[in-house]
């Protein structure tokens, strides 16, 4: 399995690519991708989308929306998980956990989660 991360320019190239246009299932809607790309809190090097592939087949994806949070007058850059999916045929194999760990590491442990589905909570609970 290979996990690929996409920053702003890479995501912009990806959503206009033949690969994206011909996918059976898309990892991010065009509208959501553009909102992540044009988000004023996103810097060029922020990883906004992660895709896991096995033998060139997409088996999982995770998206992160850049943000800032201020606590006690100190502002910190962070990201919110904005989408997360693992192919049903690959669930229970640790792929979701690997995706989350890579995203969390990419964002220097500053990932926030809200309003998750119960099945995803299991992955959050076992990650780091």
């Amino acid at each position: 399995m290979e996990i690929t991360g996409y920053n702003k320019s890479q995501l912009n190239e990806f959503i206009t690519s033949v690969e994206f246009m011909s996918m059976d299932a898309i990892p991010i809607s065009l509208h959501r991708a553009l909102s992540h790309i044009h988000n004023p809190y996103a810097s060029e090097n922020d990883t906004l989308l992660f895709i896991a592939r096995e033998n060139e087949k997409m088996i999982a994806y995770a998206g992160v929306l850049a943000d800032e949070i201020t606590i006690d007058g100190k502002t910190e850059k962070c990201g919110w998980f904005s989408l997360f999916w693992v192919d049903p045929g690959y669930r229970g194999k640790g792929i979701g956990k690997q995706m989350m760990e890579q995203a969390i590491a990419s964002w220097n442990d500053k990932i926030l989660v809200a309003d998750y589905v119960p099945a995803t909570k299991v992955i959050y609970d076992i990650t780091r």
Side-chain angles (χ1 to χ4, degrees):
M1 177 188 70
E2 177 184 332
I3 300 174
T4 305
Y6 297 83
N7 65 23
K8 286 172 70 166
S9 60
Q10 293 164 331
L11 180 56
N12 195 49
E13 288 175 21
F14 178 62
I15 62 173
T16 59
S17 70
V18 172
E19 177 190 5
F20 182 82
M21 304 287 188
S22 63
M23 295 177 93
D24 292 333
I26 59 169
I28 189 169
S29 71
L30 184 59
H31 179 74
R32 185 180 297 239
L34 291 172
S35 72
H36 281 46
I37 292 164
H38 296 293
N39 175 356
Y41 295 113
S43 65
E44 181 56 39
N45 294 324
D46 291 339
T47 306
L48 306 175
L49 181 68
F50 299 84
I51 298 178
R53 293 179 179 88
E54 188 169 88
N55 299 322
E56 298 184 29
K57 176 188 178 193
M58 180 178 65
I59 59 172
Y61 58 78
V64 179
L65 179 67
D67 200 1
E68 291 181 351
I69 189 167
T70 303
I71 300 172
D72 296 329
K74 184 178 178 190
T75 301
E76 292 280 341
K77 175 98 180 227
C78 61
W80 292 90
F81 272 123
S82 65
L83 50 112
F84 191 83
W85 174 83
V86 176
D87 183 295
Y90 290 85
R91 292 179 185 164
K93 299 180 180 187
I95 294 166
K97 182 178 182 216
Q98 289 178 55
M99 294 285 289
M100 283 195 184
E101 287 177 344
Q102 185 155 340
I104 290 167
S106 174
W107 280 83
N108 298 316
D109 295 331
K110 295 176 182 168
I111 289 281
L112 304 168
V113 178
D115 221 14
Y116 50 80
V117 296
T120 309
K121 184 180 184 312
V122 174
I123 300 168
Y124 296 144
D125 288 346
I126 63 171
T127 304
R128 292 200 197 204

